[in-house]
Amino acid sequence: MSALTTAVLLSLVSAVSYALAAIVQERIATTTAPSRWGLLRSGMWWTAAVLQGAGALLHVVALGLGPLTVVQPLGVLTLVLAAPMAALLGRRRVAAAAWRGIVLVSAGLAGILLLTGDRGADSLDGGGQFALAGWVLGSLALLVGAATAVQRMGHGRPGTRAVALRSVSLALAAGVAYGAASVFVKTLADNWTSAPLATFVPLAVLTLLLAGAGMASSQASYRDGGLATPLATTTVANPVVAAAAGIFLLNEGFRYGATGTVLALGAGALAAWGLVVLTSESTRQARAEETPQPQPRPRPREPRTKDTGVPGRTAEAEFAVRQAPEAATRAVVVPGPRVPAGRQPVPAP
């Protein structure tokens, strides 16, 4: 088996692992009450963490065996596989609008990754590391703060735009954290033998903190946000952050010069459109689930029948009907002389 084939197979398994982790996280978010540290006692959460870590490890190994232009686009399969796998495991139908959004996001993300050029440098230097760390920490603070603000505006009611924006903000924070962690992992892997300990240890600690922040943010984004929208947002933000770091800090660029840049911007707009479609569908579905379904009005009960097969006639009415002929045959007796039997009354003169 060639190295390229092995890289493709590892990328496929990595995508399946990421998709399963997202499904488990979404299930935890919808079935457990919000808790800051309670998830650490949940076996399902640790299962999701192991699946997430396995997917990341397989992705790193695949990058070591195959070219970036082949391995990175295969990461889109996480989004494509998650929806049918969730529908199969949870026995839930995926709406047509959700499929449309998934296709748009996948096409846009694949275009961005295919147009990203080769690295201009192998890894970040000291100045680039500080610049990326400062930008990432500031972005995480801004996104988490925005998520907290919009949650208070929406009063935590599912189906509102504020709750949808909260989910997207947290998913963006997760994607930013994961993307920066990937860049730092690449830097650590390239310089772990030559970097001084004073530089290696803080960077390793920062990478672990970013991975933990990404895990926590993605877990929170699935609460009241569904599965497709947070997963698509994180899947898009992760490679975009890595590509932005490569362009601004590693002297990378898009393929085909100005034409490639325009095509990449168009692919980004396509992915953004898909995210809007997914967010709208998620909001509509949440509103539908929260709206109480009208209950059918009970049919009026027909009066009970007794001693008759005619519906709608009560026992009292039946008794009245039976007594009517007898009452009609009774004559009114007028007081007067009694006539003996056999004799006709004599008319008065």
Side-chain angles (χ1 to χ4, degrees), residues 248-287:
F248 292 105
L249 299 176
L250 298 176
N251 297 322
E252 290 183 357
F254 293 108
R255 299 178 186 274
Y256 313 116
T259 304
T261 302
V262 173
L263 292 176
L265 292 176
L270 187 64
W273 182 21
L275 289 178
V276 171
V277 173
L278 285 174
T279 303
S280 301
E281 174 61 21
S282 178
T283 303
R284 187 199 63 78
Q285 187 176 3
R287 287 178 179 175

mmCIF file of all heavy atoms in Angstrom, residues 248-287:
data_model
loop_
_atom_site.group_PDB
_atom_site.id
_atom_site.type_symbol
_atom_site.label_atom_id
_atom_site.label_comp_id
_atom_site.label_asym_id
_atom_site.label_seq_id
_atom_site.Cartn_x
_atom_site.Cartn_y
_atom_site.Cartn_z
ATOM 1 N N PHE A 248 -0.486 35.125 6.465
ATOM 2 C CA PHE A 248 0.024 36.340 7.097
ATOM 3 C C PHE A 248 1.330 36.118 7.868
ATOM 4 O O PHE A 248 2.085 37.066 8.082
ATOM 5 C CB PHE A 248 -1.029 36.913 8.052
ATOM 6 C CG PHE A 248 -2.245 37.440 7.353
ATOM 7 C CD1 PHE A 248 -3.432 36.731 7.368
ATOM 8 C CD2 PHE A 248 -2.204 38.630 6.652
ATOM 9 C CE1 PHE A 248 -4.556 37.205 6.727
ATOM 10 C CE2 PHE A 248 -3.325 39.115 5.999
ATOM 11 C CZ PHE A 248 -4.509 38.401 6.035
ATOM 12 N N LEU A 249 1.580 34.874 8.297
ATOM 13 C CA LEU A 249 2.756 34.638 9.139
ATOM 14 C C LEU A 249 3.795 33.742 8.474
ATOM 15 O O LEU A 249 4.956 33.743 8.904
ATOM 16 C CB LEU A 249 2.330 34.009 10.472
ATOM 17 C CG LEU A 249 1.373 34.850 11.327
ATOM 18 C CD1 LEU A 249 0.962 34.072 12.580
ATOM 19 C CD2 LEU A 249 2.004 36.182 11.714
ATOM 20 N N LEU A 250 3.403 32.962 7.473
ATOM 21 C CA LEU A 250 4.338 32.043 6.835
ATOM 22 C C LEU A 250 4.546 32.345 5.360
ATOM 23 O O LEU A 250 5.096 31.511 4.632
ATOM 24 C CB LEU A 250 3.839 30.593 6.998
ATOM 25 C CG LEU A 250 3.725 30.082 8.432
ATOM 26 C CD1 LEU A 250 3.127 28.683 8.445
ATOM 27 C CD2 LEU A 250 5.079 30.085 9.120
ATOM 28 N N ASN A 251 4.094 33.503 4.932
ATOM 29 C CA ASN A 251 4.294 33.942 3.543
ATOM 30 C C ASN A 251 3.669 32.992 2.531
ATOM 31 O O ASN A 251 4.206 32.758 1.451
ATOM 32 C CB ASN A 251 5.793 34.096 3.229
ATOM 33 C CG ASN A 251 6.444 35.168 4.084
ATOM 34 O OD1 ASN A 251 5.833 36.210 4.356
ATOM 35 N ND2 ASN A 251 7.669 34.922 4.514
ATOM 36 N N GLU A 252 2.527 32.425 2.900
ATOM 37 C CA GLU A 252 1.808 31.591 1.951
ATOM 38 C C GLU A 252 0.912 32.453 1.065
ATOM 39 O O GLU A 252 0.773 33.660 1.265
ATOM 40 C CB GLU A 252 0.956 30.547 2.690
ATOM 41 C CG GLU A 252 1.763 29.465 3.381
ATOM 42 C CD GLU A 252 0.856 28.431 4.025
ATOM 43 O OE1 GLU A 252 -0.372 28.621 3.964
ATOM 44 O OE2 GLU A 252 1.365 27.464 4.589
ATOM 45 N N GLY A 253 0.281 31.835 0.122
ATOM 46 C CA GLY A 253 -0.658 32.518 -0.753
ATOM 47 C C GLY A 253 -1.567 31.509 -1.414
ATOM 48 O O GLY A 253 -1.436 30.304 -1.208
ATOM 49 N N PHE A 254 -2.520 32.008 -2.192
ATOM 50 C CA PHE A 254 -3.405 31.127 -2.933
ATOM 51 C C PHE A 254 -2.795 30.790 -4.288
ATOM 52 O O PHE A 254 -2.003 31.553 -4.842
ATOM 53 C CB PHE A 254 -4.774 31.792 -3.125
ATOM 54 C CG PHE A 254 -5.546 31.970 -1.850
ATOM 55 C CD1 PHE A 254 -5.700 33.227 -1.292
ATOM 56 C CD2 PHE A 254 -6.111 30.879 -1.211
ATOM 57 C CE1 PHE A 254 -6.411 33.393 -0.122
ATOM 58 C CE2 PHE A 254 -6.822 31.032 -0.041
ATOM 59 C CZ PHE A 254 -6.969 32.294 0.508
ATOM 60 N N ARG A 255 -3.168 29.661 -4.796
ATOM 61 C CA ARG A 255 -2.678 29.237 -6.102
ATOM 62 C C ARG A 255 -3.241 30.149 -7.196
ATOM 63 O O ARG A 255 -4.313 30.740 -7.044
ATOM 64 C CB ARG A 255 -3.084 27.786 -6.365
ATOM 65 C CG ARG A 255 -2.527 26.784 -5.356
ATOM 66 C CD ARG A 255 -3.019 25.390 -5.674
ATOM 67 N NE ARG A 255 -2.621 24.444 -4.641
ATOM 68 C CZ ARG A 255 -1.451 23.810 -4.615
ATOM 69 N NH1 ARG A 255 -0.569 24.018 -5.586
ATOM 70 N NH2 ARG A 255 -1.166 22.976 -3.648
ATOM 71 N N TYR A 256 -2.519 30.237 -8.301
ATOM 72 C CA TYR A 256 -2.940 30.958 -9.499
ATOM 73 C C TYR A 256 -3.026 32.468 -9.289
ATOM 74 O O TYR A 256 -3.756 33.161 -10.011
ATOM 75 C CB TYR A 256 -4.286 30.434 -10.021
ATOM 76 C CG TYR A 256 -4.349 28.934 -10.082
ATOM 77 C CD1 TYR A 256 -5.245 28.219 -9.291
ATOM 78 C CD2 TYR A 256 -3.477 28.210 -10.917
ATOM 79 C CE1 TYR A 256 -5.299 26.838 -9.337
ATOM 80 C CE2 TYR A 256 -3.536 26.822 -10.963
ATOM 81 C CZ TYR A 256 -4.437 26.141 -10.162
ATOM 82 O OH TYR A 256 -4.485 24.773 -10.205
ATOM 83 N N GLY A 257 -2.308 32.970 -8.298
ATOM 84 C CA GLY A 257 -2.188 34.409 -8.139
ATOM 85 C C GLY A 257 -3.498 35.104 -7.815
ATOM 86 O O GLY A 257 -4.277 34.660 -6.962
ATOM 87 N N ALA A 258 -3.744 36.216 -8.528
ATOM 88 C CA ALA A 258 -4.946 37.017 -8.272
ATOM 89 C C ALA A 258 -6.211 36.228 -8.604
ATOM 90 O O ALA A 258 -7.229 36.334 -7.910
ATOM 91 C CB ALA A 258 -4.895 38.310 -9.080
ATOM 92 N N THR A 259 -6.150 35.423 -9.657
ATOM 93 C CA THR A 259 -7.318 34.603 -10.010
ATOM 94 C C THR A 259 -7.660 33.624 -8.895
ATOM 95 O O THR A 259 -8.833 33.440 -8.541
ATOM 96 C CB THR A 259 -7.054 33.838 -11.318
ATOM 97 O OG1 THR A 259 -6.707 34.764 -12.345
ATOM 98 C CG2 THR A 259 -8.276 33.038 -11.730
ATOM 99 N N GLY A 260 -6.637 32.978 -8.333
ATOM 100 C CA GLY A 260 -6.873 32.057 -7.225
ATOM 101 C C GLY A 260 -7.421 32.764 -6.005
ATOM 102 O O GLY A 260 -8.268 32.212 -5.280
ATOM 103 N N THR A 261 -6.967 33.992 -5.763
ATOM 104 C CA THR A 261 -7.482 34.755 -4.619
ATOM 105 C C THR A 261 -8.966 35.063 -4.790
ATOM 106 O O THR A 261 -9.762 34.920 -3.855
ATOM 107 C CB THR A 261 -6.685 36.065 -4.461
ATOM 108 O OG1 THR A 261 -5.303 35.759 -4.287
ATOM 109 C CG2 THR A 261 -7.186 36.855 -3.266
ATOM 110 N N VAL A 262 -9.345 35.477 -6.007
ATOM 111 C CA VAL A 262 -10.764 35.762 -6.270
ATOM 112 C C VAL A 262 -11.609 34.496 -6.135
ATOM 113 O O VAL A 262 -12.711 34.511 -5.553
ATOM 114 C CB VAL A 262 -10.925 36.382 -7.674
ATOM 115 C CG1 VAL A 262 -12.405 36.530 -8.025
ATOM 116 C CG2 VAL A 262 -10.231 37.733 -7.735
ATOM 117 N N LEU A 263 -11.111 33.375 -6.665
ATOM 118 C CA LEU A 263 -11.844 32.115 -6.539
ATOM 119 C C LEU A 263 -11.969 31.676 -5.083
ATOM 120 O O LEU A 263 -13.016 31.161 -4.662
ATOM 121 C CB LEU A 263 -11.146 31.026 -7.359
ATOM 122 C CG LEU A 263 -11.182 31.190 -8.879
ATOM 123 C CD1 LEU A 263 -10.358 30.093 -9.540
ATOM 124 C CD2 LEU A 263 -12.618 31.170 -9.391
ATOM 125 N N ALA A 264 -10.915 31.899 -4.297
ATOM 126 C CA ALA A 264 -10.970 31.542 -2.880
ATOM 127 C C ALA A 264 -11.986 32.399 -2.139
ATOM 128 O O ALA A 264 -12.711 31.905 -1.262
ATOM 129 C CB ALA A 264 -9.587 31.692 -2.251
ATOM 130 N N LEU A 265 -12.050 33.692 -2.487
ATOM 131 C CA LEU A 265 -13.060 34.554 -1.871
ATOM 132 C C LEU A 265 -14.469 34.100 -2.251
ATOM 133 O O LEU A 265 -15.391 34.112 -1.420
ATOM 134 C CB LEU A 265 -12.840 36.005 -2.290
ATOM 135 C CG LEU A 265 -11.572 36.674 -1.747
ATOM 136 C CD1 LEU A 265 -11.433 38.083 -2.324
ATOM 137 C CD2 LEU A 265 -11.590 36.719 -0.223
ATOM 138 N N GLY A 266 -14.646 33.681 -3.494
ATOM 139 C CA GLY A 266 -15.946 33.149 -3.898
ATOM 140 C C GLY A 266 -16.304 31.866 -3.168
ATOM 141 O O GLY A 266 -17.461 31.659 -2.783
ATOM 142 N N ALA A 267 -15.305 30.997 -2.973
ATOM 143 C CA ALA A 267 -15.553 29.773 -2.210
ATOM 144 C C ALA A 267 -15.904 30.087 -0.769
ATOM 145 O O ALA A 267 -16.774 29.439 -0.165
ATOM 146 C CB ALA A 267 -14.321 28.870 -2.268
ATOM 147 N N GLY A 268 -15.245 31.107 -0.193
ATOM 148 C CA GLY A 268 -15.588 31.514 1.167
ATOM 149 C C GLY A 268 -17.004 32.049 1.263
ATOM 150 O O GLY A 268 -17.729 31.763 2.224
ATOM 151 N N ALA A 269 -17.426 32.827 0.251
ATOM 152 C CA ALA A 269 -18.803 33.325 0.232
ATOM 153 C C ALA A 269 -19.800 32.179 0.102
ATOM 154 O O ALA A 269 -20.874 32.192 0.720
ATOM 155 C CB ALA A 269 -18.973 34.314 -0.920
ATOM 156 N N LEU A 270 -19.452 31.159 -0.686
ATOM 157 C CA LEU A 270 -20.325 29.991 -0.823
ATOM 158 C C LEU A 270 -20.466 29.252 0.500
ATOM 159 O O LEU A 270 -21.573 28.845 0.892
ATOM 160 C CB LEU A 270 -19.759 29.061 -1.898
ATOM 161 C CG LEU A 270 -20.629 27.865 -2.309
ATOM 162 C CD1 LEU A 270 -21.917 28.346 -2.961
ATOM 163 C CD2 LEU A 270 -19.865 26.962 -3.271
ATOM 164 N N ALA A 271 -19.358 29.077 1.211
ATOM 165 C CA ALA A 271 -19.418 28.420 2.516
ATOM 166 C C ALA A 271 -20.230 29.251 3.505
ATOM 167 O O ALA A 271 -21.004 28.698 4.305
ATOM 168 C CB ALA A 271 -18.007 28.190 3.044
ATOM 169 N N ALA A 272 -20.070 30.584 3.470
ATOM 170 C CA ALA A 272 -20.848 31.446 4.364
ATOM 171 C C ALA A 272 -22.344 31.339 4.058
ATOM 172 O O ALA A 272 -23.177 31.317 4.968
ATOM 173 C CB ALA A 272 -20.373 32.892 4.237
ATOM 174 N N TRP A 273 -22.681 31.269 2.771
ATOM 175 C CA TRP A 273 -24.086 31.095 2.396
ATOM 176 C C TRP A 273 -24.633 29.775 2.944
ATOM 177 O O TRP A 273 -25.765 29.715 3.448
ATOM 178 C CB TRP A 273 -24.214 31.148 0.878
ATOM 179 C CG TRP A 273 -25.626 31.029 0.370
ATOM 180 C CD1 TRP A 273 -26.782 31.270 1.061
ATOM 181 C CD2 TRP A 273 -26.033 30.620 -0.936
ATOM 182 N NE1 TRP A 273 -27.871 31.053 0.276
ATOM 183 C CE2 TRP A 273 -27.448 30.650 -0.954
ATOM 184 C CE3 TRP A 273 -25.335 30.254 -2.084
ATOM 185 C CZ2 TRP A 273 -28.171 30.311 -2.099
ATOM 186 C CZ3 TRP A 273 -26.063 29.917 -3.217
ATOM 187 C CH2 TRP A 273 -27.462 29.944 -3.217
ATOM 188 N N GLY A 274 -23.847 28.723 2.848
ATOM 189 C CA GLY A 274 -24.289 27.448 3.410
ATOM 190 C C GLY A 274 -24.508 27.514 4.910
ATOM 191 O O GLY A 274 -25.458 26.922 5.443
ATOM 192 N N LEU A 275 -23.650 28.262 5.607
ATOM 193 C CA LEU A 275 -23.826 28.420 7.054
ATOM 194 C C LEU A 275 -25.123 29.167 7.373
ATOM 195 O O LEU A 275 -25.822 28.847 8.340
ATOM 196 C CB LEU A 275 -22.633 29.158 7.646
ATOM 197 C CG LEU A 275 -21.314 28.381 7.703
ATOM 198 C CD1 LEU A 275 -20.210 29.266 8.276
ATOM 199 C CD2 LEU A 275 -21.467 27.120 8.541
ATOM 200 N N VAL A 276 -25.447 30.172 6.563
ATOM 201 C CA VAL A 276 -26.699 30.902 6.773
ATOM 202 C C VAL A 276 -27.899 29.977 6.566
ATOM 203 O O VAL A 276 -28.867 30.001 7.340
ATOM 204 C CB VAL A 276 -26.770 32.116 5.825
ATOM 205 C CG1 VAL A 276 -28.146 32.769 5.874
ATOM 206 C CG2 VAL A 276 -25.697 33.137 6.186
ATOM 207 N N VAL A 277 -27.833 29.133 5.535
ATOM 208 C CA VAL A 277 -28.922 28.184 5.282
ATOM 209 C C VAL A 277 -29.078 27.212 6.452
ATOM 210 O O VAL A 277 -30.197 26.938 6.916
ATOM 211 C CB VAL A 277 -28.673 27.423 3.961
ATOM 212 C CG1 VAL A 277 -29.698 26.304 3.775
ATOM 213 C CG2 VAL A 277 -28.721 28.382 2.783
ATOM 214 N N LEU A 278 -27.963 26.705 6.943
ATOM 215 C CA LEU A 278 -28.018 25.772 8.065
ATOM 216 C C LEU A 278 -28.546 26.445 9.321
ATOM 217 O O LEU A 278 -29.328 25.857 10.077
ATOM 218 C CB LEU A 278 -26.629 25.191 8.316
ATOM 219 C CG LEU A 278 -26.140 24.132 7.334
ATOM 220 C CD1 LEU A 278 -24.688 23.769 7.624
ATOM 221 C CD2 LEU A 278 -27.003 22.885 7.416
ATOM 222 N N THR A 279 -28.116 27.676 9.583
ATOM 223 C CA THR A 279 -28.581 28.384 10.772
ATOM 224 C C THR A 279 -30.083 28.646 10.697
ATOM 225 O O THR A 279 -30.808 28.475 11.692
ATOM 226 C CB THR A 279 -27.819 29.708 10.929
ATOM 227 O OG1 THR A 279 -26.420 29.440 10.985
ATOM 228 C CG2 THR A 279 -28.228 30.427 12.197
ATOM 229 N N SER A 280 -30.568 29.062 9.534
ATOM 230 C CA SER A 280 -32.006 29.311 9.372
ATOM 231 C C SER A 280 -32.806 28.030 9.566
ATOM 232 O O SER A 280 -33.860 28.033 10.218
ATOM 233 C CB SER A 280 -32.279 29.907 7.985
ATOM 234 O OG SER A 280 -31.573 31.115 7.808
ATOM 235 N N GLU A 281 -32.324 26.932 9.021
ATOM 236 C CA GLU A 281 -33.025 25.656 9.174
ATOM 237 C C GLU A 281 -33.016 25.196 10.626
ATOM 238 O O GLU A 281 -34.022 24.693 11.139
ATOM 239 C CB GLU A 281 -32.376 24.601 8.278
ATOM 240 C CG GLU A 281 -32.928 23.185 8.460
ATOM 241 C CD GLU A 281 -34.398 23.069 8.152
ATOM 242 O OE1 GLU A 281 -34.940 23.940 7.437
ATOM 243 O OE2 GLU A 281 -35.025 22.111 8.641
ATOM 244 N N SER A 282 -31.880 25.376 11.310
ATOM 245 C CA SER A 282 -31.808 24.990 12.713
ATOM 246 C C SER A 282 -32.760 25.815 13.565
ATOM 247 O O SER A 282 -33.435 25.288 14.457
ATOM 248 C CB SER A 282 -30.368 25.150 13.222
ATOM 249 O OG SER A 282 -30.280 24.834 14.587
ATOM 250 N N THR A 283 -32.849 27.125 13.291
ATOM 251 C CA THR A 283 -33.773 27.980 14.033
ATOM 252 C C THR A 283 -35.218 27.583 13.777
ATOM 253 O O THR A 283 -36.040 27.521 14.691
ATOM 254 C CB THR A 283 -33.544 29.444 13.640
ATOM 255 O OG1 THR A 283 -32.177 29.798 13.896
ATOM 256 C CG2 THR A 283 -34.442 30.365 14.435
ATOM 257 N N ARG A 284 -35.550 27.309 12.510
ATOM 258 C CA ARG A 284 -36.915 26.908 12.185
ATOM 259 C C ARG A 284 -37.301 25.603 12.866
ATOM 260 O O ARG A 284 -38.402 25.459 13.404
ATOM 261 C CB ARG A 284 -37.050 26.756 10.667
ATOM 262 C CG ARG A 284 -38.478 26.498 10.196
ATOM 263 C CD ARG A 284 -38.485 25.899 8.801
ATOM 264 N NE ARG A 284 -37.837 24.602 8.780
ATOM 265 C CZ ARG A 284 -38.412 23.477 9.199
ATOM 266 N NH1 ARG A 284 -39.645 23.491 9.680
ATOM 267 N NH2 ARG A 284 -37.755 22.338 9.153
ATOM 268 N N GLN A 285 -36.371 24.642 12.884
ATOM 269 C CA GLN A 285 -36.655 23.357 13.513
ATOM 270 C C GLN A 285 -36.817 23.507 15.017
ATOM 271 O O GLN A 285 -37.679 22.872 15.623
ATOM 272 C CB GLN A 285 -35.534 22.373 13.193
ATOM 273 C CG GLN A 285 -35.812 20.961 13.670
ATOM 274 C CD GLN A 285 -34.720 19.996 13.251
ATOM 275 O OE1 GLN A 285 -33.730 20.391 12.645
ATOM 276 N NE2 GLN A 285 -34.893 18.729 13.574
ATOM 277 N N ALA A 286 -35.982 24.355 15.635
ATOM 278 C CA ALA A 286 -36.101 24.569 17.077
ATOM 279 C C ALA A 286 -37.425 25.229 17.429
ATOM 280 O O ALA A 286 -38.071 24.884 18.421
ATOM 281 C CB ALA A 286 -34.936 25.427 17.575
ATOM 282 N N ARG A 287 -37.863 26.169 16.600
ATOM 283 C CA ARG A 287 -39.165 26.794 16.850
ATOM 284 C C ARG A 287 -40.296 25.794 16.703
ATOM 285 O O ARG A 287 -41.259 25.817 17.465
ATOM 286 C CB ARG A 287 -39.364 27.960 15.886
ATOM 287 C CG ARG A 287 -38.516 29.199 16.211
ATOM 288 C CD ARG A 287 -38.731 30.277 15.174
ATOM 289 N NE ARG A 287 -37.958 31.463 15.487
ATOM 290 C CZ ARG A 287 -37.875 32.529 14.703
ATOM 291 N NH1 ARG A 287 -38.534 32.539 13.544
ATOM 292 N NH2 ARG A 287 -37.153 33.576 15.066
#
